[in-house]
Amino acid sequence: MNHRVPSNCRYQPTEYEHAANCATHALWILPSILGSSILYILSDDQWETISAWIYGFGLSSLFIVSTIFHTISWKKRHLRTVEHCLHMFDRMVIYFFIAASYAPWLNLRELGPWASHMRWIIWIMASIGTVYVFFFHERTCCRESLLPRAASLCRRYKLVELVCYVIMGFFPALVILSMPNRDGLPELVAGGFFYCLGMVFFKSDGRIPFAHAIWHLFVAIGAGIHYYAIWRYLYRPLDASEPR
Ligand SMILES: [Zn+2]
């Protein structure tokens, strides 16, 4: 593990940590594509197919973009602009991944007249998050760290970014709670719990060895539980003996 850096700078992982960061998300690329294909095959109607595409795309992109970003920041550190763009892309994909994770529930479950607006609101939220990342992501970070004002601005941007992820992660859950059919809710809560627990490691670079790789693992566990719930409650064909 390397030394901790000021909160307005980016932590530089060791060689082993870089490798772990790549491996812990690369491992899930193939399963996420396979899992998405299974949902696509199980789709019975147009909305199930569309939702399988959206969810599958969000899920696979998360692992693919993260793996590419971590590989470039490990092996091609000199390509600073490319690395910066990929880092922004890595952060943007998280917003779309969250929206895509909610999409099957919002599209395929019965919703009340107000709650149904969440179907498009999540995409507006993801777009706002993306624009925010584009304009503010690490803008004033480190390079101008000698200026105390720039450093404090950077810290504030990072905090807002984290708050945006939390709002995006929890706000649509209010709609899910209002659904008449609550099957799958325990799994959704369990997945959310792992994401939240993972955030402790996300913020622990330089304090806990391999903190970012551990964060990746928590993301994979959360995504795995959510995938299971989507497969089981929204796509799996029911046995004749099961109540409908
Ligand atoms: Zn990462």
Side-chain angles (χ1 to χ4, degrees):
M1 174 175 70
N2 279 331
H3 287 300
R4 197 168 167 71
V5 291
S7 61
N8 59 314
C9 295
R10 205 185 321 157
Y11 171 73
Q12 277 311 318
T14 62
E15 286 293 296
Y16 289 114
E17 284 178 325
H18 268 304
N21 291 346
C22 296
T24 42
H25 267 178
L27 200 67
W28 304 105
I29 294 175
L30 217 57
S32 66
I33 294 171
L34 263 173
S36 310
S37 314
I38 291 172
L39 297 185
Y40 176 75
I41 292 164
L42 291 175
S43 299
D44 289 325
D45 60 39
Q46 192 189 347
W47 273 109
E48 287 194 9
T49 310
I50 292 171
S51 303
W53 267 106
I54 295 172
Y55 175 62
F57 190 70
L59 184 69
S60 329
S61 320
L62 178 86
F63 295 122
I64 293 170
V65 171
S66 170
T67 305
I68 295 174
F69 159 64
H70 283 293
T71 310
I72 296 287
S73 81
W74 179 22
K75 293 292 180 195
K76 304 269 179 224
R77 231 164 294 171
H78 53 282
L79 301 173
R80 291 205 61 171
T81 319
V82 178
E83 198 225 358
H84 179 69
C85 288
L86 280 167
H87 197 205
M88 285 206 305
F89 202 32
D90 180 60
R91 293 300 162 91
M92 289 170 179
V93 164
I94 298 177
Y95 288 109
F96 283 97
F97 167 69
I98 299 173
S101 299
Y102 276 116
W105 301 96
L106 298 172
N107 292 344
L108 303 177
R109 282 263 166 100
E110 201 183 311
L111 295 172
W114 285 102
S116 62
H117 288 295
M118 192 52 87
R119 285 181 184 138
W120 57 268
I121 291 175
I122 48 161
W123 297 105
I124 302 279
M125 288 169 77
S127 307
I128 293 171
T130 301
V131 171
Y132 181 82
V133 171
F134 184 77
F135 284 108
F136 296 111
H137 180 68
E138 294 192 349
R139 242 209 170 174
T140 59
C141 297
C142 247
R143 267 170 292 156
E144 294 118 300
S145 63
L146 291 175
L147 298 169
R149 196 178 124 66
S152 95
L153 262 180
C154 174
R155 250 176 252 127
R156 214 173 301 161
Y157 289 148
K158 282 191 169 179
L159 189 70
V160 173
E161 197 175 37
L162 193 67
V163 170
C164 284
Y165 287 132
V166 174
I167 293 174
M168 178 93 203
F170 281 99
F171 187 57
L174 298 175
V175 167
I176 306 267
L177 286 170
S178 75
M179 284 178 178
N181 180 355
R182 293 195 184 178
D183 286 347
L185 203 65
E187 284 88 345
L188 285 179
V189 173
F193 173 75
F194 277 100
Y195 286 129
C196 292
L197 205 63
M199 270 194 205
V200 176
F201 294 93
F202 181 67
K203 288 272 146 205
S204 296
D205 282 330
R207 265 194 217 126
I208 301 169
F210 295 96
H212 196 83
I214 299 172
W215 150 247
H216 278 186
L217 288 177
F218 274 97
V219 170
I221 296 170
I225 296 172
H226 283 175
Y227 173 83
Y228 168 76
I230 289 169
W231 167 78
R232 178 165 178 191
Y233 298 104
L234 300 175
Y235 282 88
R236 184 179 60 120
L238 293 175
D239 295 337
S241 57
E242 284 183 82
R244 287 182 183 253

PDB file of all heavy atoms in Angstrom, residues 17-44:
ATOM      1  N   GLU A  17      -1.760  -3.509  -6.272  1.00  0.00           N
ATOM      2  CA  GLU A  17      -3.115  -2.944  -6.156  1.00  0.00           C
ATOM      3  C   GLU A  17      -3.704  -2.663  -7.541  1.00  0.00           C
ATOM      4  O   GLU A  17      -4.886  -2.921  -7.784  1.00  0.00           O
ATOM      5  CB  GLU A  17      -3.079  -1.671  -5.302  1.00  0.00           C
ATOM      6  CG  GLU A  17      -2.939  -1.977  -3.816  1.00  0.00           C
ATOM      7  CD  GLU A  17      -2.852  -0.736  -2.944  1.00  0.00           C
ATOM      8  OE1 GLU A  17      -2.250   0.265  -3.393  1.00  0.00           O
ATOM      9  OE2 GLU A  17      -3.366  -0.770  -1.822  1.00  0.00           O
ATOM     10  N   HIS A  18      -2.855  -2.169  -8.466  1.00  0.00           N
ATOM     11  CA  HIS A  18      -3.317  -1.940  -9.843  1.00  0.00           C
ATOM     12  C   HIS A  18      -3.837  -3.252 -10.429  1.00  0.00           C
ATOM     13  O   HIS A  18      -4.915  -3.303 -11.031  1.00  0.00           O
ATOM     14  CB  HIS A  18      -2.153  -1.447 -10.709  1.00  0.00           C
ATOM     15  CG  HIS A  18      -2.028   0.045 -10.768  1.00  0.00           C
ATOM     16  ND1 HIS A  18      -3.061   0.864 -11.172  1.00  0.00           N
ATOM     17  CD2 HIS A  18      -0.982   0.861 -10.502  1.00  0.00           C
ATOM     18  CE1 HIS A  18      -2.655   2.122 -11.144  1.00  0.00           C
ATOM     19  NE2 HIS A  18      -1.399   2.159 -10.739  1.00  0.00           N
ATOM     20  N   ALA A  19      -3.036  -4.313 -10.266  1.00  0.00           N
ATOM     21  CA  ALA A  19      -3.413  -5.619 -10.831  1.00  0.00           C
ATOM     22  C   ALA A  19      -4.732  -6.086 -10.228  1.00  0.00           C
ATOM     23  O   ALA A  19      -5.626  -6.578 -10.946  1.00  0.00           O
ATOM     24  CB  ALA A  19      -2.308  -6.638 -10.555  1.00  0.00           C
ATOM     25  N   ALA A  20      -4.873  -5.916  -8.918  1.00  0.00           N
ATOM     26  CA  ALA A  20      -6.105  -6.353  -8.247  1.00  0.00           C
ATOM     27  C   ALA A  20      -7.299  -5.528  -8.727  1.00  0.00           C
ATOM     28  O   ALA A  20      -8.397  -6.068  -8.931  1.00  0.00           O
ATOM     29  CB  ALA A  20      -5.952  -6.216  -6.733  1.00  0.00           C
ATOM     30  N   ASN A  21      -7.091  -4.210  -8.942  1.00  0.00           N
ATOM     31  CA  ASN A  21      -8.177  -3.357  -9.428  1.00  0.00           C
ATOM     32  C   ASN A  21      -8.682  -3.832 -10.787  1.00  0.00           C
ATOM     33  O   ASN A  21      -9.881  -3.831 -11.042  1.00  0.00           O
ATOM     34  CB  ASN A  21      -7.710  -1.893  -9.550  1.00  0.00           C
ATOM     35  CG  ASN A  21      -7.454  -1.256  -8.198  1.00  0.00           C
ATOM     36  OD1 ASN A  21      -7.857  -1.808  -7.169  1.00  0.00           O
ATOM     37  ND2 ASN A  21      -6.779  -0.121  -8.183  1.00  0.00           N
ATOM     38  N   CYS A  22      -7.736  -4.229 -11.644  1.00  0.00           N
ATOM     39  CA  CYS A  22      -8.130  -4.715 -12.985  1.00  0.00           C
ATOM     40  C   CYS A  22      -8.842  -6.051 -12.864  1.00  0.00           C
ATOM     41  O   CYS A  22      -9.935  -6.246 -13.428  1.00  0.00           O
ATOM     42  CB  CYS A  22      -6.904  -4.880 -13.882  1.00  0.00           C
ATOM     43  SG  CYS A  22      -6.070  -3.340 -14.217  1.00  0.00           S
ATOM     44  N   ALA A  23      -8.225  -6.972 -12.118  1.00  0.00           N
ATOM     45  CA  ALA A  23      -8.744  -8.342 -12.063  1.00  0.00           C
ATOM     46  C   ALA A  23     -10.134  -8.412 -11.434  1.00  0.00           C
ATOM     47  O   ALA A  23     -10.997  -9.151 -11.908  1.00  0.00           O
ATOM     48  CB  ALA A  23      -7.774  -9.228 -11.278  1.00  0.00           C
ATOM     49  N   THR A  24     -10.359  -7.608 -10.379  1.00  0.00           N
ATOM     50  CA  THR A  24     -11.624  -7.724  -9.644  1.00  0.00           C
ATOM     51  C   THR A  24     -12.831  -7.256 -10.457  1.00  0.00           C
ATOM     52  O   THR A  24     -13.966  -7.539 -10.073  1.00  0.00           O
ATOM     53  CB  THR A  24     -11.574  -6.934  -8.318  1.00  0.00           C
ATOM     54  OG1 THR A  24     -10.940  -5.672  -8.558  1.00  0.00           O
ATOM     55  CG2 THR A  24     -10.823  -7.692  -7.245  1.00  0.00           C
ATOM     56  N   HIS A  25     -12.620  -6.535 -11.536  1.00  0.00           N
ATOM     57  CA  HIS A  25     -13.768  -6.224 -12.397  1.00  0.00           C
ATOM     58  C   HIS A  25     -13.720  -6.981 -13.716  1.00  0.00           C
ATOM     59  O   HIS A  25     -14.766  -7.327 -14.257  1.00  0.00           O
ATOM     60  CB  HIS A  25     -13.910  -4.708 -12.620  1.00  0.00           C
ATOM     61  CG  HIS A  25     -14.847  -4.088 -11.601  1.00  0.00           C
ATOM     62  ND1 HIS A  25     -15.117  -2.754 -11.546  1.00  0.00           N
ATOM     63  CD2 HIS A  25     -15.579  -4.680 -10.606  1.00  0.00           C
ATOM     64  CE1 HIS A  25     -15.983  -2.524 -10.551  1.00  0.00           C
ATOM     65  NE2 HIS A  25     -16.257  -3.671  -9.963  1.00  0.00           N
ATOM     66  N   ALA A  26     -12.484  -7.280 -14.204  1.00  0.00           N
ATOM     67  CA  ALA A  26     -12.374  -8.022 -15.466  1.00  0.00           C
ATOM     68  C   ALA A  26     -13.053  -9.390 -15.349  1.00  0.00           C
ATOM     69  O   ALA A  26     -13.679  -9.882 -16.291  1.00  0.00           O
ATOM     70  CB  ALA A  26     -10.903  -8.206 -15.837  1.00  0.00           C
ATOM     71  N   LEU A  27     -12.944  -9.952 -14.161  1.00  0.00           N
ATOM     72  CA  LEU A  27     -13.503 -11.287 -13.891  1.00  0.00           C
ATOM     73  C   LEU A  27     -15.004 -11.369 -14.164  1.00  0.00           C
ATOM     74  O   LEU A  27     -15.523 -12.432 -14.479  1.00  0.00           O
ATOM     75  CB  LEU A  27     -13.246 -11.568 -12.400  1.00  0.00           C
ATOM     76  CG  LEU A  27     -13.285 -12.998 -11.925  1.00  0.00           C
ATOM     77  CD1 LEU A  27     -12.120 -13.747 -12.546  1.00  0.00           C
ATOM     78  CD2 LEU A  27     -13.164 -13.043 -10.401  1.00  0.00           C
ATOM     79  N   TRP A  28     -15.682 -10.235 -14.068  1.00  0.00           N
ATOM     80  CA  TRP A  28     -17.151 -10.241 -14.158  1.00  0.00           C
ATOM     81  C   TRP A  28     -17.672  -9.832 -15.528  1.00  0.00           C
ATOM     82  O   TRP A  28     -18.884  -9.766 -15.723  1.00  0.00           O
ATOM     83  CB  TRP A  28     -17.740  -9.325 -13.059  1.00  0.00           C
ATOM     84  CG  TRP A  28     -17.255  -9.766 -11.725  1.00  0.00           C
ATOM     85  CD1 TRP A  28     -16.307  -9.165 -10.962  1.00  0.00           C
ATOM     86  CD2 TRP A  28     -17.637 -10.955 -11.019  1.00  0.00           C
ATOM     87  NE1 TRP A  28     -16.063  -9.893  -9.836  1.00  0.00           N
ATOM     88  CE2 TRP A  28     -16.874 -10.992  -9.846  1.00  0.00           C
ATOM     89  CE3 TRP A  28     -18.547 -11.991 -11.279  1.00  0.00           C
ATOM     90  CZ2 TRP A  28     -16.983 -12.024  -8.913  1.00  0.00           C
ATOM     91  CZ3 TRP A  28     -18.664 -13.006 -10.368  1.00  0.00           C
ATOM     92  CH2 TRP A  28     -17.895 -13.019  -9.207  1.00  0.00           C
ATOM     93  N   ILE A  29     -16.766  -9.543 -16.453  1.00  0.00           N
ATOM     94  CA  ILE A  29     -17.232  -9.106 -17.780  1.00  0.00           C
ATOM     95  C   ILE A  29     -18.013 -10.228 -18.466  1.00  0.00           C
ATOM     96  O   ILE A  29     -19.161 -10.037 -18.884  1.00  0.00           O
ATOM     97  CB  ILE A  29     -16.044  -8.642 -18.670  1.00  0.00           C
ATOM     98  CG1 ILE A  29     -15.409  -7.376 -18.075  1.00  0.00           C
ATOM     99  CG2 ILE A  29     -16.514  -8.380 -20.088  1.00  0.00           C
ATOM    100  CD1 ILE A  29     -14.169  -6.895 -18.786  1.00  0.00           C
ATOM    101  N   LEU A  30     -17.381 -11.406 -18.525  1.00  0.00           N
ATOM    102  CA  LEU A  30     -18.034 -12.521 -19.233  1.00  0.00           C
ATOM    103  C   LEU A  30     -19.330 -12.963 -18.536  1.00  0.00           C
ATOM    104  O   LEU A  30     -20.371 -13.083 -19.193  1.00  0.00           O
ATOM    105  CB  LEU A  30     -17.040 -13.679 -19.358  1.00  0.00           C
ATOM    106  CG  LEU A  30     -17.120 -14.453 -20.673  1.00  0.00           C
ATOM    107  CD1 LEU A  30     -16.929 -13.509 -21.854  1.00  0.00           C
ATOM    108  CD2 LEU A  30     -16.104 -15.571 -20.697  1.00  0.00           C
ATOM    109  N   PRO A  31     -19.296 -13.179 -17.187  1.00  0.00           N
ATOM    110  CA  PRO A  31     -20.556 -13.545 -16.523  1.00  0.00           C
ATOM    111  C   PRO A  31     -21.668 -12.512 -16.732  1.00  0.00           C
ATOM    112  O   PRO A  31     -22.829 -12.882 -16.882  1.00  0.00           O
ATOM    113  CB  PRO A  31     -20.174 -13.632 -15.039  1.00  0.00           C
ATOM    114  CG  PRO A  31     -18.719 -13.907 -15.040  1.00  0.00           C
ATOM    115  CD  PRO A  31     -18.166 -13.228 -16.256  1.00  0.00           C
ATOM    116  N   SER A  32     -21.304 -11.218 -16.765  1.00  0.00           N
ATOM    117  CA  SER A  32     -22.367 -10.206 -16.921  1.00  0.00           C
ATOM    118  C   SER A  32     -22.961 -10.267 -18.331  1.00  0.00           C
ATOM    119  O   SER A  32     -24.173 -10.107 -18.498  1.00  0.00           O
ATOM    120  CB  SER A  32     -21.854  -8.806 -16.594  1.00  0.00           C
ATOM    121  OG  SER A  32     -20.888  -8.398 -17.525  1.00  0.00           O
ATOM    122  N   ILE A  33     -22.126 -10.541 -19.334  1.00  0.00           N
ATOM    123  CA  ILE A  33     -22.653 -10.664 -20.700  1.00  0.00           C
ATOM    124  C   ILE A  33     -23.513 -11.924 -20.807  1.00  0.00           C
ATOM    125  O   ILE A  33     -24.611 -11.909 -21.379  1.00  0.00           O
ATOM    126  CB  ILE A  33     -21.494 -10.685 -21.737  1.00  0.00           C
ATOM    127  CG1 ILE A  33     -20.772  -9.330 -21.738  1.00  0.00           C
ATOM    128  CG2 ILE A  33     -22.018 -11.017 -23.133  1.00  0.00           C
ATOM    129  CD1 ILE A  33     -19.493  -9.273 -22.543  1.00  0.00           C
ATOM    130  N   LEU A  34     -23.017 -13.011 -20.206  1.00  0.00           N
ATOM    131  CA  LEU A  34     -23.779 -14.282 -20.223  1.00  0.00           C
ATOM    132  C   LEU A  34     -25.121 -14.116 -19.504  1.00  0.00           C
ATOM    133  O   LEU A  34     -26.166 -14.525 -20.013  1.00  0.00           O
ATOM    134  CB  LEU A  34     -22.968 -15.358 -19.497  1.00  0.00           C
ATOM    135  CG  LEU A  34     -22.147 -16.267 -20.381  1.00  0.00           C
ATOM    136  CD1 LEU A  34     -21.264 -17.161 -19.526  1.00  0.00           C
ATOM    137  CD2 LEU A  34     -23.078 -17.119 -21.248  1.00  0.00           C
ATOM    138  N   GLY A  35     -25.060 -13.511 -18.319  1.00  0.00           N
ATOM    139  CA  GLY A  35     -26.275 -13.295 -17.522  1.00  0.00           C
ATOM    140  C   GLY A  35     -27.280 -12.446 -18.272  1.00  0.00           C
ATOM    141  O   GLY A  35     -28.486 -12.740 -18.269  1.00  0.00           O
ATOM    142  N   SER A  36     -26.803 -11.400 -18.937  1.00  0.00           N
ATOM    143  CA  SER A  36     -27.699 -10.537 -19.714  1.00  0.00           C
ATOM    144  C   SER A  36     -28.333 -11.318 -20.856  1.00  0.00           C
ATOM    145  O   SER A  36     -29.530 -11.157 -21.143  1.00  0.00           O
ATOM    146  CB  SER A  36     -26.929  -9.362 -20.295  1.00  0.00           C
ATOM    147  OG  SER A  36     -26.179  -8.738 -19.300  1.00  0.00           O
ATOM    148  N   SER A  37     -27.532 -12.180 -21.498  1.00  0.00           N
ATOM    149  CA  SER A  37     -28.076 -12.984 -22.601  1.00  0.00           C
ATOM    150  C   SER A  37     -29.172 -13.907 -22.096  1.00  0.00           C
ATOM    151  O   SER A  37     -30.176 -14.125 -22.787  1.00  0.00           O
ATOM    152  CB  SER A  37     -26.981 -13.830 -23.249  1.00  0.00           C
ATOM    153  OG  SER A  37     -25.856 -13.050 -23.465  1.00  0.00           O
ATOM    154  N   ILE A  38     -28.978 -14.450 -20.888  1.00  0.00           N
ATOM    155  CA  ILE A  38     -30.002 -15.343 -20.320  1.00  0.00           C
ATOM    156  C   ILE A  38     -31.316 -14.571 -20.150  1.00  0.00           C
ATOM    157  O   ILE A  38     -32.387 -15.065 -20.522  1.00  0.00           O
ATOM    158  CB  ILE A  38     -29.516 -15.937 -18.975  1.00  0.00           C
ATOM    159  CG1 ILE A  38     -28.371 -16.918 -19.242  1.00  0.00           C
ATOM    160  CG2 ILE A  38     -30.663 -16.618 -18.211  1.00  0.00           C
ATOM    161  CD1 ILE A  38     -27.672 -17.437 -18.008  1.00  0.00           C
ATOM    162  N   LEU A  39     -31.249 -13.352 -19.627  1.00  0.00           N
ATOM    163  CA  LEU A  39     -32.467 -12.549 -19.443  1.00  0.00           C
ATOM    164  C   LEU A  39     -33.113 -12.273 -20.800  1.00  0.00           C
ATOM    165  O   LEU A  39     -34.339 -12.322 -20.947  1.00  0.00           O
ATOM    166  CB  LEU A  39     -32.151 -11.226 -18.738  1.00  0.00           C
ATOM    167  CG  LEU A  39     -31.591 -11.309 -17.326  1.00  0.00           C
ATOM    168  CD1 LEU A  39     -31.454  -9.917 -16.732  1.00  0.00           C
ATOM    169  CD2 LEU A  39     -32.473 -12.162 -16.415  1.00  0.00           C
ATOM    170  N   TYR A  40     -32.285 -12.004 -21.797  1.00  0.00           N
ATOM    171  CA  TYR A  40     -32.801 -11.733 -23.144  1.00  0.00           C
ATOM    172  C   TYR A  40     -33.536 -12.954 -23.695  1.00  0.00           C
ATOM    173  O   TYR A  40     -34.639 -12.850 -24.225  1.00  0.00           O
ATOM    174  CB  TYR A  40     -31.624 -11.336 -24.053  1.00  0.00           C
ATOM    175  CG  TYR A  40     -32.009 -11.116 -25.481  1.00  0.00           C
ATOM    176  CD1 TYR A  40     -32.694  -9.966 -25.858  1.00  0.00           C
ATOM    177  CD2 TYR A  40     -31.692 -12.069 -26.457  1.00  0.00           C
ATOM    178  CE1 TYR A  40     -33.064  -9.767 -27.173  1.00  0.00           C
ATOM    179  CE2 TYR A  40     -32.053 -11.870 -27.775  1.00  0.00           C
ATOM    180  CZ  TYR A  40     -32.737 -10.716 -28.129  1.00  0.00           C
ATOM    181  OH  TYR A  40     -33.107 -10.521 -29.429  1.00  0.00           O
ATOM    182  N   ILE A  41     -32.922 -14.124 -23.483  1.00  0.00           N
ATOM    183  CA  ILE A  41     -33.537 -15.372 -23.988  1.00  0.00           C
ATOM    184  C   ILE A  41     -34.857 -15.640 -23.258  1.00  0.00           C
ATOM    185  O   ILE A  41     -35.821 -16.125 -23.853  1.00  0.00           O
ATOM    186  CB  ILE A  41     -32.546 -16.557 -23.814  1.00  0.00           C
ATOM    187  CG1 ILE A  41     -31.352 -16.366 -24.758  1.00  0.00           C
ATOM    188  CG2 ILE A  41     -33.221 -17.898 -24.072  1.00  0.00           C
ATOM    189  CD1 ILE A  41     -30.150 -17.232 -24.425  1.00  0.00           C
ATOM    190  N   LEU A  42     -34.900 -15.323 -21.956  1.00  0.00           N
ATOM    191  CA  LEU A  42     -36.108 -15.591 -21.159  1.00  0.00           C
ATOM    192  C   LEU A  42     -37.221 -14.561 -21.404  1.00  0.00           C
ATOM    193  O   LEU A  42     -38.336 -14.743 -20.904  1.00  0.00           O
ATOM    194  CB  LEU A  42     -35.760 -15.609 -19.668  1.00  0.00           C
ATOM    195  CG  LEU A  42     -34.908 -16.769 -19.159  1.00  0.00           C
ATOM    196  CD1 LEU A  42     -34.558 -16.561 -17.690  1.00  0.00           C
ATOM    197  CD2 LEU A  42     -35.642 -18.091 -19.339  1.00  0.00           C
ATOM    198  N   SER A  43     -36.910 -13.493 -22.130  1.00  0.00           N
ATOM    199  CA  SER A  43     -37.915 -12.443 -22.334  1.00  0.00           C
ATOM    200  C   SER A  43     -39.130 -12.977 -23.094  1.00  0.00           C
ATOM    201  O   SER A  43     -38.992 -13.693 -24.084  1.00  0.00           O
ATOM    202  CB  SER A  43     -37.317 -11.284 -23.139  1.00  0.00           C
ATOM    203  OG  SER A  43     -36.246 -10.741 -22.443  1.00  0.00           O
ATOM    204  N   ASP A  44     -40.323 -12.619 -22.588  1.00  0.00           N
ATOM    205  CA  ASP A  44     -41.562 -13.085 -23.213  1.00  0.00           C
ATOM    206  C   ASP A  44     -42.239 -12.005 -24.049  1.00  0.00           C
ATOM    207  O   ASP A  44     -43.092 -12.300 -24.861  1.00  0.00           O
ATOM    208  CB  ASP A  44     -42.565 -13.527 -22.123  1.00  0.00           C
ATOM    209  CG  ASP A  44     -42.116 -14.815 -21.475  1.00  0.00           C
ATOM    210  OD1 ASP A  44     -41.533 -15.655 -22.185  1.00  0.00           O
ATOM    211  OD2 ASP A  44     -42.313 -14.971 -20.258  1.00  0.00           O
TER     212      ASP A  44
END
